Amino acid sequence: MRRPHVLSILLALLLAAAPAFAQETTITLGRFFGACDTPGVSIADAVGEPCIIQAIVDAFDAADNGVRVETLPTDWGNYYDQIKASYAAGNAPSVHVMHSSAIPEFASLGALADLSEHLAAAGIDTSDWEATARDAVTYDGRVYGVPMDAHANLWHVNLELMAAAGLVDDDGAPILPSSPEEMLEHAAMVRDATGASYLAADFAEFPIGVRLVMALAWQQGAELFGDGVSNVNSPEAVRAVETIVALFDGGFADPRLNYADSQQAFLDGESAILVNGTWVVDFYGAQAANTNVALTDYYAADFPTLFDTPATWASNHLWAIPVTTQRDPEKFDAALELLAWINDQNLAWSRTGHLSVRTSVLESDAYAALPHRDEYAGTIEIARDVQPVVRYDAVQDVLNRELQAIWLTGKPIAQALADADAQVQDLLD
Amino acid sequence: MATKGRVLTETAAATSRVARRRFPWRDAAAGYLFVGPFLLAYVAFLVTPFVRGIWISLHDWNLLAVSINPDAKRFVGLDNYTRMLWGDGIVWSLDHQLVPRLAGVVIVALLAWWWRSGAINRSTALAGIGATLLLFGLLLGLHPGEEGRWGDRRFWPIVGNTLTFVALTVPSVTLLGLALALGLNRDDRASAALRTAFFLSQVLSVTVVTLIWQLTFSPRQGLIGHAFRTLGLEPVSWVTSIDLAMPAIVIATVWWSLGFAMILFLAGLQEIPAELYEAARLDGAGAWATIRSITLPALSRTMSLVIVLQLILHFQVFGQSHLITRGGPNDATQVLVRYIYQTGFRNSELGYASALAIVLFVFMLVFAMLQIRASREEG
Amino acid sequence: MVGNRAARRIVVIVLMLAAALWVVPIVWMVSMALQPNDLLARTTSNVAWGLIPWPFTLDNLGFVLSSGLTPRWFLNSAIVALGMTSLVLVLSSMAGYAFARIPFPGRRLLYPLVLAGLVIPEQAIFIPLYTMFAEWGWHNGYFALIAPRLAVPIGVFLMTQFFRGIPDYIEEAATLDGAGRWTVFTRIMLPLSIPALSTLAILTFLYAWNDYLWPLVSASRPEMFTITLGLASLQTNFAQSEGLGRVMASGVLASLPVVLLFLLFQRQVVRGIAMGSGK
């Protein structure tokens, strides 16, 4: 009778002392990616961007580390508006996700905490980061974020349609064009054999078309903008746009598809190719396995080289800490701890289809064994980010508007690019 | 009863007049105590922001930069306004946009003719002619010269989009609302039920309306697409087509706000004395003749009210453009309020956004003056 | 007369068809909220263009009510709408009473100045309001969502008009009995003005429930979203498609209070619109 008694006293003491141990620090986390519709799954079981990131954060939250994370899931459409609004209102989240292209704007204004001196102490080995990712989070020689992935445009392929057109090689890989002319030939072959359109992409809503044009300009060795100079109205840019417009003119693609519709067209087997990012590889793989979906044989291919130099548009998702968080050392440390945890979970995040940014993960067998990963292994080599521009959002908006003017209203290419050039130059000045 | 009441009133009035003269400070104190709370809110949340908005519009003011360092703003005078309304190398020429400007000549001629025939009075005619000459004669002749360009090439097209939206929405809502009111101005159950059906969409919030219509317009998943396929037609891409995007948000808006016009017309119809209809019936007038000779003239004040209120409401359109079409494609549905929001919060240019907001206010002021004029003239 | 009756019948039939067309989008939303998500991912036109919810499920409504932030958004909307409505009623009726019935010095100047505020729309001042509230640290709080509407003079205008229409003798009889201003106002004037107050209340409630632009800039944290704003955030996630059925269920739930309010108080709503537009 005595022992249990003593034990219970001990237990009571422990419980009484527990609040002292449980001095929890609460940090807030801002992100996009959408809400996870199956909350509570483990990291290993999570599928898709929203659930994988939620599972990673939940695991950190549940761990016995004295930190509570309050996720502020913010929608895509107004993400940057609301992040900026929260900075301006003085209640920015303790830590938040952003794109590498937004680093110049935020960092140049001093909005982000300089993490250069803190990462090693937090257990984040920056030397393991892949070089382009390290550059992407660096501004003026200082590190302002922890990269989570590189995401690039791929050509998502419906192998069934391609096979019907005779565009699959003996290894089961799709035969993709190596020049604009060949692309039109392939497109005609697909149409003649299947009646499907050759290529679908969001040309009418989000800036996927802009990223396509940028990739095709890079493939010709030209930058659209950079170093304070707009080069939007270059012969290379004209060529890039003409390449795409030829698809529309031939009836091989529909410029009026938006993101949801282009994706649906691909899943419904109405288009052989879909140009979209790495973030949907696991989703399309799962859809192809679903017997109710027309797409059955799915392949994730590297963006083909239509000109001289291989290149595809890419960007990085990264985690940054606002300077305001730094004023509270406890929160700052907790935020760094969370970033270190996310950095450790790079392989899990790569399951979405994104490219890892850590050399150790990139070289691991587990990474190579991820579904479809071998099919677009070349993408990491050809991935390119835009030149750092403070007002990148606005620049991208200009390009998206003028390109839409070309393929949706028939505005002459030369005039649209000249107009875009003038506006982009204004934004760079 | 009536006499007693009046006597009482007169005595009371006399007494209180005395009381008031004796204690004017009491009225003053009571008055200001009663008005005070509202005045406080009015000054704090309406007058101050209005003045401050003008002040911000005179600055180069970056949302993020100023929030981090309050001194990061820079006084630039009227630069934001010149950037919006002017540009480099703007010239005036007689033949620029000649065809639309010839319409101005027609309008002037019409106004002059109405004035002569007595349809409008002298001041209206002169104001109309003056405004037309200013707009068509002077302003439409301005354009960038050889090397010139507008400071903000998006501004005028966006104003144009906003006006197009208004020009498509207001007449549709007005005419359909009038037709419904005429058809449903009865006391039976069926009419009451139908009135409810038509008004129901009006109480939904803009985000529910856009949720419904965003999907309804989708060529693959949308209701319209399903209907088209059943009829053997190819579904159209509403929101991504340059010609159909604006009609799409107009359709959603008409669906949403038709009930409002219908209610106002119904209220107007109730005020028409039944004797008028009786007289018309005795004269043997048919339904159409009755509507034309009695109902429509009696509704003219309601009509101008409906139109002006719609002008004010729809000129501030935001949610439909923001959520259904995202202003696209190629700015085809970008409207003024969304441009203000994006300039301020997406591009962080609070100074320029404030200048745009001031211009929005000027537009609204013109509409409000139209409203006052309309209610004075007829009421 | 026979011809007339036939014509009327045609008109009624046309109107009924039009009304059916009018409510179809609403029916469609409700129907999708009642269909399983994985079905909607494949097709939105399972039975009769999707207008008949088959297979039928309440899972979406249950999910939305039990998880995520929708219940919180609902609560926020209720707090904001009720708070705004009661404050607007108090401020407007007091100011309206003073402008209509207290001959205080300066009111002839003040009243037009207040009415002038009618021409300043919310959209023209939301940016400076935003910066002011940011400096005061008000954002992401309920009062920030309520405050801007308190300054809109439409309520004062309505109440002033109404109080002016009340005959003098009613108030002055009470004054003779020695009642003070406050007593007269609360005991006599307010009970008399219930029609006007209910009209103003309903208009304000509908406005608060449906407002979008101001909550969009003021509430940057999802736990402070109103249901209208939260619904918009679900919509812009469409590309990620987190389940059409659930989004539609949120839309249905968000609309339920205003639709019920409207069906219960249809008469007041209708009169309110007529009055609020200066008729």
Side-chain angles (χ1 to χ4, degrees):
Chain A
M1 281 303 278
R2 273 188 94 88
R3 279 171 66 96
H5 194 67
V6 173
L7 268 180
S8 63
I9 289 173
L10 271 174
L11 198 68
L13 278 173
L14 267 175
L15 279 176
F21 289 110
Q23 274 295 338
E24 289 198 326
T25 310
T26 302
I27 55 172
T28 51
L29 173 145
R31 65 167 176 86
F32 38 81
F33 304 124
C36 174
D37 58 1
T38 50
V41 292
S42 67
I43 300 181
D45 294 334
V47 176
E49 283 184 320
C51 290
I52 294 181
I53 189 61
Q54 193 61 52
I56 290 175
V57 172
D58 284 349
F60 181 79
D61 185 45
D64 185 20
N65 51 13
V67 182
R68 257 190 50 67
V69 187
E70 209 181 301
T71 300
L72 315 171
T74 316
D75 55 300
W76 247 112
N78 299 313
Y79 181 73
Y80 282 106
D81 312 355
Q82 296 211 319
I83 280 287
K84 284 178 187 170
S86 71
Y87 270 90
N91 52 24
S94 316
V95 48
H96 67 86
V97 80
M98 61 195 289
H99 293 92
S100 45
S101 50
I103 281 273
E105 177 179 7
F106 283 74
S108 67
L109 294 171
L112 302 178
D114 177 356
L115 305 180
S116 314
E117 314 302 328
H118 303 279
L119 292 171
I124 298 173
D125 176 12
T126 56
S127 68
D128 191 34
W129 290 349
E130 201 251 332
T132 50
R134 197 167 41 241
D135 289 350
V137 294
T138 309
Y139 184 80
D140 262 352
R142 314 298 298 172
V143 177
Y144 288 99
V146 173
M148 181 161 67
D149 63 47
H151 49 273
N153 262 348
L154 302 177
W155 277 31
H156 304 270
V157 183
N158 182 332
L159 278 182
E160 198 185 353
L161 293 177
M162 293 293 270
L167 289 170
V168 174
D169 65 18
D170 298 339
D171 301 331
I175 300 171
L176 297 180
S178 58
S179 70
E181 296 73 27
E182 199 184 356
M183 180 172 75
L184 292 178
E185 285 165 25
H186 286 187
M189 287 159 74
V190 168
R191 184 170 59 194
D192 294 346
T194 67
S197 62
Y198 181 66
L199 180 144
D202 171 11
F203 290 108
E205 190 181 7
F206 298 111
I208 305 255
V210 176
R211 296 163 185 177
L212 245 166
V213 169
M214 284 198 286
L216 293 179
W218 287 330
Q219 293 195 351
Q220 302 168 68
E223 270 305 342
L224 292 191
F225 51 85
D227 287 333
V229 181
S230 165
N231 194 26
V232 172
N233 196 10
S234 60
E236 291 87 355
V238 172
R239 190 81 208 284
V241 175
E242 283 172 350
T243 304
I244 295 169
V245 169
L247 282 174
F248 303 141
D249 291 346
F252 305 122
D254 182 355
R256 291 167 309 176
L257 297 183
N258 61 14
Y259 189 91
D261 286 334
S262 61
Q263 178 163 292
Q264 204 60 44
F266 179 67
L267 295 176
D268 289 350
E270 291 169 20
S271 181
I273 311 278
L274 175 70
V275 183
N276 198 357
T278 44
W279 51 87
V280 280
V281 171
D282 68 336
F283 176 61
Y284 294 166
Q287 292 289 303
N290 184 335
T291 48
N292 288 314
V293 174
L295 173 72
T296 51
D297 207 350
Y298 167 65
Y299 189 99
D302 294 325
F303 196 107
T305 308
L306 300 181
F307 296 97
D308 314 319
T309 325
T312 186
W313 167 89
S315 175
N316 301 87
H317 289 131
L318 61 98
W319 292 90
I321 302 180
V323 272
T324 40
T325 309
Q326 208 166 5
R327 289 179 202 141
D328 183 341
E330 247 172 63
K331 286 196 185 214
F332 186 60
D333 289 346
L336 279 169
E337 210 179 316
L338 171 62
L339 295 200
W341 169 254
I342 292 175
N343 192 50
D344 290 342
Q345 300 302 318
N346 206 250
L347 177 64
W349 181 246
S350 301
R351 287 210 314 269
T352 53
H354 288 311
L355 307 171
S356 171
V357 283
R358 299 190 54 180
T359 326
S360 57
V361 173
L362 283 166
E363 288 167 355
S364 69
D365 294 340
Y367 182 78
L370 290 173
H372 301 285
R373 188 62 62 165
D374 53 328
E375 298 165 3
Y376 60 103
T379 295
I380 189 87
E381 305 298 329
I382 64 173
R384 265 177 83 162
D385 202 346
V386 294
Q387 294 287 309
V389 172
V390 169
R391 306 193 55 193
Y392 177 69
D393 262 354
V395 168
Q396 185 174 254
D397 284 350
V398 167
L399 293 174
N400 201 22
R401 276 196 305 274
E402 293 296 343
L403 289 177
Q404 285 179 6
I406 293 170
W407 44 66
L408 293 171
T409 71
K411 185 171 179 178
I413 295 174
Q415 194 193 333
L417 291 184
D419 286 351
D421 190 55
Q423 295 170 75
V424 170
Q425 190 59 56
D426 280 352
L427 290 167
L428 298 179
D429 289 341
Chain B
M1 270 309 277
T3 356
K4 199 180 161 199
R6 231 183 69 190
V7 173
L8 194 67
T9 319
E10 276 166 8
T11 352
T15 339
S16 75
R17 234 174 277 130
V18 175
R20 264 170 215 157
R21 212 163 293 137
R22 212 183 296 156
F23 299 113
W25 61 270
R26 271 200 142 174
D27 282 335
Y32 282 98
L33 281 177
F34 271 91
V35 177
F38 171 76
L39 274 191
L40 202 66
Y42 183 71
V43 170
F45 307 138
L46 201 93
V47 178
T48 313
F50 183 66
V51 175
R52 194 181 157 103
I54 298 173
W55 182 68
I56 295 178
S57 77
L58 304 176
H59 288 77
D60 180 3
W61 185 309
N62 183 297
L63 172 68
L64 263 187
V66 175
S67 74
I68 290 156
N69 168 21
D71 298 327
K73 51 185 175 271
R74 194 163 55 88
F75 183 83
V76 294
L78 294 174
D79 278 9
N80 285 324
Y81 293 92
T82 42
R83 170 179 156 202
M84 182 190 337
L85 303 168
W86 204 243
D88 293 333
I90 303 296
V91 294
W92 186 90
S93 47
L94 191 63
D95 57 344
H96 182 66
Q97 293 195 349
L98 194 59
V99 178
R101 284 168 79 193
L102 286 177
V105 178
V106 177
I107 294 175
V108 169
L110 266 178
L111 285 168
W113 185 65
W114 281 337
W115 175 18
R116 277 195 58 129
S117 64
I120 49 177
N121 63 28
R122 185 170 164 230
S123 61
T124 313
L126 286 181
I129 290 173
T132 312
L133 283 180
L134 184 70
L135 181 65
F136 287 86
L138 186 66
L139 296 182
L140 277 187
L142 292 170
H143 62 99
E146 279 293 305
E147 289 292 297
R149 60 200 182 90
W150 292 111
D152 178 358
R153 57 193 309 138
R154 294 176 73 195
F155 176 71
W156 289 114
I158 286 170
V159 170
N161 291 342
T162 316
L163 289 173
T164 308
F165 176 81
V166 169
L168 291 172
T169 309
V170 174
S172 319
V173 170
T174 309
L175 292 178
L176 286 173
L178 177 63
L180 285 181
L182 288 173
L184 295 173
N185 187 28
R186 299 199 158 211
D187 257 340
D188 52 70
R189 262 159 191 266
S191 298
L194 288 175
R195 283 199 297 266
T196 307
F198 282 110
F199 194 79
L200 196 59
S201 51
Q202 177 80 64
V203 298
L204 302 178
S205 74
V206 65
T207 55
V208 174
V209 173
T210 56
L211 174 67
I212 293 175
W213 284 95
Q214 194 182 22
L215 200 68
T216 304
F217 285 128
S218 158
R220 274 156 212 284
Q221 299 171 292
L223 198 54
I224 301 180
H226 299 334
F228 270 54
R229 265 187 295 274
T230 309
L231 297 172
L233 300 169
E234 180 76 8
V236 282
S237 316
W238 287 88
V239 301
T240 54
S241 146
I242 204 86
D243 301 317
L244 293 177
M246 181 61 86
I249 63 171
V250 168
I251 289 172
T253 308
V254 170
W255 180 80
W256 185 31
S257 53
L258 182 62
F260 175 78
M262 178 184 76
I263 293 300
L264 288 183
F265 280 123
L266 281 168
L269 286 172
Q270 307 279 315
E271 283 169 12
I272 302 175
E275 300 88 71
L276 280 179
Y277 287 112
E278 191 58 22
R281 206 177 57 84
L282 289 178
D283 285 351
W288 179 237
T290 314
I291 287 175
R292 224 182 38 194
S293 59
I294 295 179
T295 316
L296 289 185
L299 279 183
S300 64
R301 179 175 174 250
T302 310
M303 179 83 84
S304 48
L305 189 73
V306 169
I307 291 174
V308 174
L309 286 175
Q310 303 265 335
L311 277 180
I312 292 173
L313 187 70
H314 295 310
F315 197 77
Q316 304 176 45
V317 54
F318 171 69
Q320 298 94 303
S321 155
H322 191 56
L323 292 167
I324 299 182
T325 56
R326 298 172 212 282
N330 181 32
D331 260 3
T333 54
Q334 181 74 302
V335 289
L336 203 46
V337 172
R338 186 172 189 268
Y339 190 43
I340 295 173
Y341 169 77
Q342 289 210 312
T343 305
F345 290 90
R346 186 179 162 83
N347 298 343
S348 303
E349 293 183 80
L350 277 199
Y352 191 57
S354 295
L356 289 167
I358 298 296
V359 170
L360 173 80
F361 163 74
V362 172
F363 276 106
M364 306 304 298
L365 195 63
V366 172
F367 294 142
M369 278 154 67
L370 282 178
Q371 177 187 12
I372 290 166
R373 210 185 161 85
S375 52
R376 274 222 188 111
E377 241 167 44
E378 323 254 354
Chain C
M1 271 323 260
V2 176
N4 240 344
R5 205 173 298 160
R8 174 67 194 166
R9 198 164 297 163
I10 291 170
V11 168
V12 168
I13 290 171
V14 168
L15 283 170
M16 282 170 85
L17 285 176
L21 196 67
W22 223 248
V23 293
V24 153
I26 298 179
V27 173
W28 197 49
M29 169 174 75
V30 175
S31 168
M32 277 198 285
L34 298 173
Q35 291 176 63
N37 251 322
D38 52 343
L39 170 82
L40 292 173
R42 276 201 319 278
T43 173
T44 54
S45 61
N46 195 38
V47 180
W49 298 343
L51 287 170
I52 293 169
W54 190 260
F56 178 89
T57 177
L58 290 175
D59 287 358
N60 296 321
L61 289 166
F63 180 88
V64 167
L65 278 177
S66 63
S67 65
L69 282 165
T70 313
R72 173 72 198 242
W73 294 341
F74 222 85
L75 180 72
N76 290 344
S77 275
I79 292 173
V80 169
L82 293 174
M84 186 189 289
T85 306
S86 31
L87 283 173
V88 164
L89 289 187
V90 171
L91 297 191
S92 305
S93 56
M94 283 173 63
Y97 174 68
F99 280 130
R101 311 200 69 103
I102 305 179
F104 64 93
R107 80 169 166 166
R108 273 174 210 289
L109 180 72
L110 219 45
Y111 188 57
L113 278 181
V114 165
L115 287 197
L118 282 172
V119 301
I120 304 178
E122 174 197 355
Q123 284 79 352
I125 55 167
F126 76 98
I127 286 176
L129 260 181
Y130 175 83
T131 63
M132 285 163 57
F133 284 17
E135 280 163 25
W136 301 339
W138 280 14
H139 286 302
N140 291 299
Y142 291 118
F143 193 63
L145 294 175
I146 292 173
R149 185 66 186 179
L150 302 183
V152 176
I154 185 75
V156 176
F157 172 68
L158 281 180
M159 294 314 293
T160 306
Q161 295 294 94
F162 187 85
F163 285 129
R164 274 186 184 157
I166 295 179
D168 281 348
Y169 66 84
I170 294 180
E171 184 180 7
E172 282 165 353
T175 319
L176 274 188
D177 288 345
R181 284 274 182 215
W182 185 249
T183 320
V184 171
F185 173 65
T186 52
R187 293 283 166 79
I188 296 171
M189 293 314 239
L190 282 187
L192 280 176
S193 60
I194 283 175
L197 286 175
S198 59
T199 294
L200 181 58
I202 288 162
L203 286 184
T204 311
F205 189 93
L206 285 177
Y207 173 89
W209 194 271
N210 292 341
D211 192 19
Y212 176 47
L213 181 63
W214 177 248
L216 176 64
V217 293
S218 179
S220 56
R221 300 178 66 151
E223 72 265 24
M224 281 310 297
F225 282 7
T226 59
I227 185 77
T228 296
L229 182 55
L231 201 56
S233 79
L234 292 180
Q235 275 175 67
T236 45
N237 269 340
F238 249 34
Q240 322 250 335
S241 197
E242 56 187 280
L244 219 43
R246 286 178 189 167
V247 179
M248 291 297 165
S250 304
V252 170
L253 288 173
S255 312
L256 222 48
V258 281
V259 169
L260 286 181
L261 196 72
F262 165 67
L263 292 178
L264 285 175
F265 297 102
Q266 196 167 357
R267 203 175 290 268
Q268 283 86 340
V269 175
V270 166
R271 193 182 48 217
I273 287 174
M275 265 178 76
S277 5
K279 282 220 52 112

